[in-house]
Every structure is written in C-alpha cells, then in structure tokens.
Amino acid sequence: MGFATDAVHAGQKPDPTTGSVSVPIYQTSTYEMEGLGESKGWNYARTINPTRTALELNLAALEQGVRALAFASGMAAVNAVFSMLKAGDHVVVSQNVYGGTFRLVDGILKNFAVDFTFLDTTDLRNVEAAMKPATRMVFIETPHNPVMTLTDIAGCAALCRKRGARLVVDNTFMSPYWQNPIPLGADLVVHSTTKYLNGHSDSVGGVVVAAREEDGERLHFIQKSAGAILSPFDSWLVLRGVKTLALRMERHEESARKIAAFLAAVPQVRKVNYPGLPSHPQHALAKKQARGFGGMISFDLGGYGEAKAFLDNLTLCALAESLGGVETLISHSASMTHASVPPEERRRIGVTDGLVRLSVGIEDVEDLIEDLSKGFAAVERGSVATGSAPSRRT
Ligand SMILES: *Cc1c(COP(=O)(O)O)cnc(C)c1O
C-alpha cells in the first residue's frame, strides 16, 4: 500500500465490538480475565493498551520497521533507546542533536558509566575515527537542529554494521513521509510525535520504531518496566493526526520552499539554511536519502538585537518552542531550544545569537511572507536592541 493509505488504515481496523471506524480510546487500567489462566491477551494497561497498539502498528508500518513502541514524550523514547545500553558502552552522538537529548546525556546518563562522544557527524570520517571497540550505538539526528546540515544515514549504517553498533536516527524533523532511515540501514528510528506526527500542537509523545524483532522485544520490556507509556487519549490524538500526515507534509514543504527562496533574497538575512535550496552544501545528499526537504528552515540575522527586533514584530508566526504543527512556529534557538547548551558549546555547533528557526505551517504562504516582511522592516528601521542572548538555567 502507498504511504497515504497506510497512514489512514495501518493498524486501524474498525473496532470488532461495534464497527466504530475510529479506533476507540480504551480508557482502562486493566482487563477482566475469562478464567484463571485464561486472558484475551490483554492484562494490564501499562503493558498493553488497544489504542496505543493501534498507533504502534501504524507507525511501524509508516517507518517500515517491525515494531513500534509509543512513549509519554520524545525524550522518554530517547531515554528508552539509551536504556538498551550497559555500563562500559560507548556511544557516538551528533553534536547538533535536540537540546533535550544533550541535557539527558549531560545531566543524567553521564552518571551511569556510559561514555558519550558528541561530534560533527556531517563528516563520516569523524564518526569512523571516534569509534572504539566499546562503541555500541551511533545516535544521529538529520537534518541537524537547528542548523539544517545533514548526516549521511546509509554511510553511518555501513560504519555501524562493520563495528556491530546500532544506528539510531531521530527522524522527527523529516517525518516518515519524507525520510525512512530503516531501509537505509538504521536499526532504530525515534520520533517526538509531539511534532509532525501529531501535527496539531496538542499532544506530547514519542515513539521508537525497531528494524528487528529482538530490539522491539527489548524496547517493549523497557516500556512496560520503566512505564513511560503514551496515554490512550494521546495515542488516539496521534492516530488522528497521522491520517493527514501526507497532506500536511506536502503543504509544509511547498510553503517552505517558497519561503526559503524569499529569505534568500532578503538583504537582512545573512544566511538561509534549507536543504531544498540548491545552494545548501548537502543538497545532493538531501535528494539521495530523502524524498523531500521538509518544512524546517533556519536563518541568521547577524546578532541577538536583530533577531529580537525581527521576532518582536511578527504577529502571525507564533514565537514558541516546538515545531511540526499546522500553525507556523518561530523560535530563537540560542535563548529557547538550546538555552541549556553552554554558550561556548552553542557557538561551536553553529547556534549563533542571530539564528532564527522557522517551522512553516499550513497557512496561506502569502500571509506568512507578509508577516516575515514586517519583521525584516523592523530590523531595517534599526529598532535594534543591544546585548547578547540571555542564558537560562534548566
Ligand atoms: C522535540 C524533540 C524531541 C523531544 O521530544 P518531546 O516530545 O518534546 O519530549 C526530540 N528530538 C527532536 C528532534 C525534537 O524536535
């Protein structure tokens, strides 16, 4: 079946009791047994829930994996993946991963005798050079947040296979509509369902999709043991969101392409980062490993003052963390999503004080361009505050 068909139907047979076309929200904690030693296969809702199972079957199909496990947040999904490690293991991580992934490693997992190396995975030679006998996992996110550079998924997969390490890809930015890491050789795919999969900015959740049954089994063990499950209602919301994923992603990208072309011609914009622009240094890789370029753009306005003048003068684009919703969201990476990354580390990974990240929504693109134009006019008027990005302790 095609992607849009699977998005609507995979894992979602009409409810056997009533024929309900929409998978019901099974709001229950437990299930009555038919007799001692006889159950219908459902025992306790931390372990298994029909609404969650429907979502898991659906997302496994969309990512071309064998099993999916849904978690209470994207970070709970990432934490479940890292829970597959043992003391003494070494992990290579993209230096531009989601700020929360960096915080999880730096603030918590470092205490558990697992060794992490953060590096620039745009160059596979760095990945190869960092791999040690103890390397059990390579964790990448591509495109990289928020600089929109790429990592070669198939190239990483080949390196991992040689060394017996798992390749994990956080595919949140692209969604399975544009990019499927498993056919490229990845072992596990992670999503924050909070973003494009749910798509309506009204649920927080995460998923891990496994390419192999044994990893799926282990992840289910971790899911039921640690208990960070997605609720029945959130599972239902994501199922509902995914039905329109194909339509939404087409619109996100169509508008993103137009906006990227617009931004490239704005004098106040120093640099536009969008893999769909032929000027993007990895445009060829983007075309090779994905079916499209997605709806995320970042651009540099030069400094914190310019970024503030710009952002403070927008009315339609919402100044907010997060991405992937139907509404356009815009953020200042240094003071928002990457506030927990130390300033010197931010500079090293290209998160400059003038960098603005745009998650293009599905509104009329003319309205979005008009709104952005108001921001640029404010920068031009020189209503520029001074100073640098404030740091936030989290
Ligand atoms: C948001 C996000 C996460 C974390 O997901 P939550 O649902 O917020 O916990 C992880 N990775 C990426 C790329 C994200 O954008």
Side-chain angles (χ1 to χ4, degrees):
M1 294 285 175
F3 187 95
T5 307
D6 277 343
V8 175
H9 293 288
Q12 302 180 72
K13 290 201 190 72
D15 180 50
T17 322
T18 63
S20 165
V21 171
S22 166
V23 172
I25 302 168
Y26 282 90
Q27 194 66 36
T28 188
S29 62
T30 191
Y31 312 86
E32 188 184 19
M33 296 177 77
E34 296 185 310
L36 197 56
E38 296 164 49
S39 82
K40 294 188 168 111
W42 309 89
N43 45 18
Y44 184 64
R46 172 161 29 72
T47 308
I48 189 164
N49 175 282
T51 317
R52 195 171 82 229
T53 299
L55 175 65
E56 292 172 341
L57 289 169
N58 183 270
L59 297 181
L62 297 188
E63 275 297 7
Q64 302 183 35
V66 299
R67 183 102 186 244
L69 290 311
F71 292 88
S73 67
M75 286 322 304
V78 172
N79 194 47
V81 164
F82 287 144
S83 300
M84 298 171 85
L85 297 162
K86 296 191 175 67
D89 287 352
H90 173 245
V91 186
V92 173
V93 189
S94 298
Q95 66 183 11
N96 286 93
V97 278
Y98 180 70
T101 302
F102 175 81
R103 181 175 54 200
L104 175 66
V105 168
D106 193 55
I108 300 176
L109 299 175
K110 261 188 7 198
N111 301 331
F112 290 90
V114 177
D115 180 19
F116 289 88
T117 305
F118 285 86
L119 52 79
D120 178 3
T121 54
T122 53
D123 188 342
L124 288 183
R125 286 170 303 185
N126 294 338
V127 179
E128 186 160 29
M131 287 180 110
K132 313 175 189 182
T135 306
R136 295 273 69 90
M137 190 179 277
V138 173
F139 187 106
I140 62 173
E141 192 177 306
T142 182
H144 308 141
N145 176 35
V147 291
M148 303 306 291
T149 51
L150 309 179
T151 295
D152 180 343
I153 298 172
C156 265
L159 287 178
C160 286
R161 251 195 315 278
K162 261 201 309 206
R163 305 289 193 125
R166 283 189 187 84
L167 176 64
V168 186
V169 180
D170 183 335
N171 201 28
T172 300
F173 267 40
M174 292 303 275
S175 91
Y177 184 70
W178 294 126
Q179 179 169 282
N180 286 126
I182 287 176
L184 296 170
D187 299 288
L188 300 170
V189 175
V190 174
H191 283 276
S192 165
T193 62
T194 313
K195 316 295 169 52
Y196 286 111
L197 290 174
N198 181 57
H200 293 72
S201 306
D202 52 13
S203 162
V204 171
V207 69
V208 185
V209 183
R212 283 190 309 277
E213 200 51 63
E214 75 234 47
D215 280 352
E217 276 301 315
R218 181 67 188 163
L219 284 160
H220 181 237
F221 182 84
I222 291 166
Q223 184 195 41
K224 73 177 181 189
S225 303
I229 49 166
L230 192 64
S231 76
F233 182 57
D234 286 284
S235 298
W236 182 85
L237 279 174
V238 180
L239 271 175
R240 180 186 160 111
V242 164
K243 287 184 211 291
T244 57
L245 182 65
L247 296 173
R248 287 187 283 109
M249 293 314 295
E250 286 287 346
R251 177 60 168 256
H252 285 301
E253 179 181 279
E254 184 192 333
S255 295
R257 285 179 188 235
K258 289 181 184 156
I259 290 174
F262 161 75
L263 291 171
V266 170
Q268 288 81 23
V269 174
R270 307 270 178 100
K271 188 165 177 238
V272 185
N273 308 307
Y274 182 61
L277 287 175
S279 60
H280 188 284
Q282 293 168 296
H283 183 61
L285 176 60
K287 284 204 286 198
K288 191 178 109 194
Q289 68 182 11
R291 292 178 288 272
F293 308 107
M296 298 298 299
I297 306 173
S298 66
F299 53 98
D300 204 311
L301 286 163
Y304 179 72
E306 286 84 356
K308 182 166 167 53
F310 173 74
L311 293 167
D312 284 349
N313 282 282
L314 302 177
T315 49
L316 181 57
C317 303
L319 180 60
E321 297 200 9
S322 200
L323 61 110
V326 289
E327 55 289 282
T328 296
L329 302 175
I330 198 160
S331 62
H332 180 250
S333 305
S335 67
M336 295 167 65
T337 53
H338 282 60
S340 56
V341 179
E344 56 288 359
E345 176 65 11
R346 282 206 302 264
R347 270 189 291 279
R348 199 176 67 76
I349 64 178
V351 182
T352 52
D353 284 354
L355 194 71
V356 169
R357 188 186 80 180
L358 184 63
S359 168
V360 177
I362 63 167
E363 301 95 335
D364 290 297
V365 69
E366 298 75 20
D367 292 334
L368 295 173
I369 289 177
E370 192 182 315
D371 197 44
L372 297 171
S373 302
K374 281 189 233 152
F376 294 128
V379 177
E380 200 186 348
R381 282 196 304 275
S383 51
V384 169
T386 48
S388 58
S391 282
R392 181 181 68 185
R393 292 216 169 269
T394 48

